């Protein structure tokens, strides 16, 4: 492998500007790496080499002319395969969209192309982003680059594993209940979910619209901050998008955090957290103390309800969002139906996988008359209490820390037959989506088997700059990011 592929986007940009490598060469080196490891990790649903090379050529022309390069120009990036890139397939890892070709670009895609970022591939995911292990893909499970017998985490497993395997420098994922932060933690990289509304979801296949956010994966905090800056901003095509100016997220990375208050979430350091993960969080606490921050223990009493609330609201919303896949308008249509109703039911029965069907049934049940008040409405009321819990603790602290997951990556197949065990994997991440606040997972050490551990940091809404500041300080004090999976 070309050693430059292990480096950050910041360093790759320097190499491009110093003419040590051209953008076309960088993209070609990335495809060489993909050829080398893709049969082992299975991170991609499709490659978009033509698009990537076309963009890279434009970058080289700009460099040759001495023109200024936009942020991240020439840096190879992967899109999760639930985001539209015109002319390429967007499958959401579902049979029902297996042959669906995007007729338009997502807003994030437009922004990346305007910044001359070469898009090299569409990453595998859990079908319609429903899952925590990337085993729910209709095409293939994804393998963790640190240990091929383990899951990469989900649902953005392909996006995370591709960056960890150096098949790309950057990638994008979507996070509805932890789908960026969990795989980042399992794959030993940085993964960040922005404030709800910070990044446009136009052109993202909707799962649960009141929770979905798009966010960056990278090997360093600085790269993640730069990528967020490129994709953020108001978009009239997404009615939930926030009309607030985008900050320069890299400007305050190295700000002093002396005197800042950091809360450790008590409920997420309790039973179920492994000793290795606890040790990693203790190290984070020590690091922050040494940097002059004050550490306090805080309690979020509603946290124990978050999984229950999420699995009512997320399934209710997905049952509505996925109603559009009926064989009439998009993708797959069954053969030999007797009538319209038969066509709908056969198409959906054949097109959706078992986890997606389970979610649609749960959500339809929670929304049905007679149960709506008992389930959906109650869950909405509880969601408000979760938000109020965060508001209360953020009056006292600037940030919260916890493990991203109580454990490290588990073996492929270990939780596949037990949906409840799988759902519980997200205990630490889901409440940030319910509250709409930003969260990040950064590399924080390794367990006794050498699997990565993630530190989660949360800040109040729109405090992305603080989130990156706290993350960068920990990263620079500990250097875990320098270790790359040996694949
Ligand atoms: N694991 C959670 C689920 O299965 C979250 C998924 C996500 O964030 N997209 O719903």
């Amino acid at each position: 492998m070309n050693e430059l592929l292990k480096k950050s986007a910041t360093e790759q940009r320097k190499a491009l500007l110093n003419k040590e490598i051209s953008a076309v060469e960088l993209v070609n080196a990335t495809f060489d790496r993909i050829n080398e490891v893709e049969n082992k990790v299975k991170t991609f649903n499709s490659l978009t080499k033509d698009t990537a090379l076309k963009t890279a050529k434009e970058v080289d022309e700009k460099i040759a002319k001495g023109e200024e390069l936009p942020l991240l120009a020439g840096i190879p990036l992967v899109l999760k395969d639930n985001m539209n890139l015109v002319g390429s397939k967007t499958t959401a890892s579902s049979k029902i969209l297996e042959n669906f070709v995007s007729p338009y670009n997502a807003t994030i895609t437009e922004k990346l192309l305007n910044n001359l970022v070469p898009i090299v591939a569409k990453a595998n995911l859990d079908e319609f982003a429903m899952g925590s292990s990337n085993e729910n893909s209709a095409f293939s499970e994804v393998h963790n680059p640190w240990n091929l017998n383990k899951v990469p985490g989900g649902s953005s497993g392909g996006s995370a594993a591709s960056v960890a395997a150096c098949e790309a420098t950057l990638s994008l994922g979507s996070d509805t209940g932890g789908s960026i932060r969990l795989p980042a933690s399992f794959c030993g990289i940085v993964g960040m979910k922005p404030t709800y509304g910070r990044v446009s979801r136009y052109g993202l296949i909707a799962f649960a619209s009141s929770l979905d956010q798009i966010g960056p994966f990278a090997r360093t905090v600085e790269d993640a901050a730069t990528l967020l800056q490129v994709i953020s901003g108001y978009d009239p095509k997404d009615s939930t998008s926030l009309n607030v100016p985008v900050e320069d997220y890299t400007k305050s990375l190295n700000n002093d955090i002396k005197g800042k208050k950091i809360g450790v979430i008590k409920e997420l350091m309790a039973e179920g957290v492994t000793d290795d993960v606890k040790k990693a969080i203790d190290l984070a606490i020590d690091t922050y103390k040494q940097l002059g921050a004050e550490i306090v223990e805080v309690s979020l009493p509603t946290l124990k309800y978050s999984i229950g609330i999420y699995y009512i609201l997320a399934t209710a919303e997905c049952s509505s969002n996925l109603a559009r896949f009926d064989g009439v308008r998009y993708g797959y249509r069954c053969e030999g139906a007797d009538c319209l109703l038969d066509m709908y039911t056969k198409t959906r029965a054949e097109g959706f996988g078992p986890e997606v069907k389970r979610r649609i049934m749960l959500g339809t049940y929670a929304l049905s008359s007679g149960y709506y008040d008992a389930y959906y409405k109650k869950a909405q009321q509880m969601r408000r209490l979760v938000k109020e819990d965060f508001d209360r603790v953020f009056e006292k602290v600037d940030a919260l820390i916890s493990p991203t997951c109580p454990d490290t990556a588990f073996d492929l197949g270990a939780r596949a037959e037990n949906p409840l065990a799988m759902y519980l994997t997200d205990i630490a991440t889901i409440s940030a989506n319910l509250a709409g606040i930003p969260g990040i997972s950064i590399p924080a050490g390794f367990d006794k088997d050498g699997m990565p551990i993630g530190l989660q940091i949360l800040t109040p809404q729109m405090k992305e700059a603080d989130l990156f500041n706290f993350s960068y300080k920990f990263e620079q004090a500990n250097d875990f990011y320098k270790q790359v999976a040996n694949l």
Side-chain angles (χ1 to χ4, degrees):
M1 156 171 56
N2 184 324
E3 286 300 301
L4 194 58
L5 298 183
K6 291 185 187 165
K7 299 280 164 63
S8 66
T10 312
E11 288 177 79
Q12 291 179 357
R13 182 179 172 91
K14 271 187 214 144
L16 287 172
L17 291 172
N18 293 339
K19 307 207 168 110
E20 289 159 35
I21 192 167
S22 72
V24 167
E25 283 165 350
L26 184 56
V27 164
N28 280 328
T30 298
F31 279 101
D32 289 345
R33 175 65 179 166
I34 292 172
N35 283 335
E36 193 182 319
V37 295
E38 183 54 20
N39 61 342
K40 293 190 224 162
V41 281
K42 309 251 170 61
T43 53
F44 298 136
N45 287 342
S46 57
L47 301 179
T48 48
K49 194 170 182 178
D50 292 348
T51 313
L53 282 172
K54 185 169 164 269
T55 310
K57 273 189 201 122
E58 284 177 52
V59 174
D60 285 336
E61 281 162 23
K62 268 199 179 299
I63 295 175
K65 285 192 211 143
E67 289 175 19
E68 202 177 321
L69 278 194
L71 283 177
L72 300 177
I75 309 299
L77 175 140
V78 163
L79 289 180
K80 187 174 179 177
D81 200 15
N82 57 358
M83 301 169 186
N84 282 339
L85 165 66
V86 78
S88 80
K89 279 190 190 176
T90 301
T91 70
S93 284
S94 180
K95 201 180 153 199
I96 214 159
L97 287 177
E98 193 169 3
N99 296 311
F100 176 74
V101 175
S102 322
Y104 65 94
N105 277 332
T107 296
I108 45 113
T109 308
E110 282 294 334
K111 285 180 184 273
L112 292 166
L113 295 175
N114 288 340
N115 274 266
L116 300 181
V117 181
I119 296 171
V120 295
K122 305 290 296 288
N124 203 340
L125 64 148
D126 282 304
E127 185 175 357
F128 285 102
M130 296 172 193
S132 306
S133 65
N134 217 132
E135 294 167 294
N136 294 338
S137 163
F139 309 131
S140 168
E141 71 282 355
V142 174
H143 297 254
N144 191 311
W146 294 85
N147 178 338
L148 296 172
N149 296 321
K150 299 212 180 253
V151 301
S155 65
S156 314
S159 301
S162 64
V163 171
C166 299
E167 292 178 296
T169 313
L170 303 166
S171 65
L172 288 183
S174 59
D175 190 312
T176 306
S179 276
I180 293 176
R181 289 160 288 156
L182 182 73
S185 139
F186 282 8
C187 291
I189 60 167
V190 178
M192 191 263 179
K193 179 199 95 73
T195 301
Y196 182 74
R198 177 69 295 186
V199 178
S200 165
R201 291 101 37 94
Y202 179 73
L204 168 77
I205 296 177
F207 163 11
S209 306
S210 78
L211 301 157
D212 299 339
Q213 253 303 280
I214 293 174
F217 285 104
R219 284 190 294 271
T220 69
V221 173
E222 184 181 14
D223 285 2
T226 310
L227 180 51
L228 180 64
Q229 202 169 311
V230 167
I231 60 168
S232 288
Y234 174 63
D235 179 11
K237 291 183 187 139
D238 175 353
S239 61
T240 65
S241 143
L242 292 167
N243 198 349
V244 179
V246 179
E247 292 168 69
D248 177 349
Y249 297 121
T250 55
K251 216 170 65 190
S252 45
L253 285 179
N254 206 14
N255 279 7
D256 201 347
I257 58 164
K258 206 179 234 148
K260 297 273 183 191
K261 276 197 178 162
I262 299 179
V264 182
I265 304 173
K266 187 172 109 193
E267 288 80 3
L268 293 175
M269 291 297 278
E271 84 185 278
V273 182
T274 67
D275 288 345
D276 288 338
V277 171
K278 269 202 188 109
K279 264 189 230 149
I281 305 306
D282 287 342
L283 171 78
I285 292 173
D286 284 347
T287 304
Y288 283 122
K289 279 187 184 160
Q290 274 165 25
L291 290 165
E294 189 186 330
I295 304 284
V296 292
E297 191 182 78
V298 300
S299 172
L300 294 169
T302 57
L303 199 129
K304 58 177 178 291
Y305 305 114
S306 60
I307 300 235
I309 302 167
Y310 172 88
Y311 275 96
I312 291 173
L313 298 181
T315 58
E317 291 182 30
C318 92
S319 72
S320 164
N321 272 328
L322 270 56
R324 73 191 76 180
F325 303 106
D326 55 8
V328 177
R329 285 162 292 186
Y330 305 92
Y332 178 75
R333 177 182 296 177
C334 71
E335 305 270 329
D338 301 333
C339 62
L340 187 61
L341 188 62
D342 193 38
M343 194 278 284
Y344 288 156
T345 43
K346 269 199 187 131
T347 295
R348 288 166 69 82
E350 291 167 15
F352 289 136
E355 182 60 29
V356 174
K357 285 180 188 159
R358 176 166 24 242
R359 306 267 179 127
I360 293 173
M361 283 190 283
L362 282 170
T364 308
Y365 182 79
L367 286 175
S368 55
S369 72
Y371 295 105
Y372 180 94
D373 283 348
Y375 293 106
Y376 184 74
K377 197 169 155 203
K378 254 277 161 335
Q380 288 285 31
Q381 290 165 336
M382 284 302 297
R383 179 179 187 174
R384 164 52 65 124
L385 297 182
V386 172
K387 170 78 171 59
E388 286 175 1
D389 251 3
F390 278 106
D391 290 347
R392 188 178 44 75
V393 297
F394 281 132
E395 277 172 19
K396 288 189 234 114
V397 299
D398 301 292
L400 294 169
I401 61 169
S402 76
T404 307
C405 181
D407 204 350
T408 50
F410 45 89
D411 289 343
L412 281 158
R415 295 183 194 170
E417 302 304 323
N418 186 347
L420 205 56
M422 191 70 92
Y423 295 174
L424 287 170
T425 313
D426 299 318
I427 181 69
T429 48
I430 273 180
S431 48
N433 300 75
L434 294 174
I437 60 172
I440 196 167
S441 179
I442 56 174
F446 298 87
D447 72 4
K448 56 182 181 321
D449 301 320
M451 296 307 289
I453 297 172
L455 168 70
Q456 178 175 245
I457 312 176
L458 305 170
T459 52
Q461 285 185 359
M462 301 311 278
K463 295 283 186 191
E464 273 75 6
D466 288 354
L467 188 66
F468 286 123
N469 179 205
F470 285 112
S471 308
Y472 184 79
K473 286 294 193 185
F474 176 85
E475 174 189 74
Q476 296 301 311
N478 290 291
D479 278 0
F480 292 118
Y481 72 99
K482 289 192 177 150
Q483 296 192 47
V484 177
N486 197 358
L487 184 72

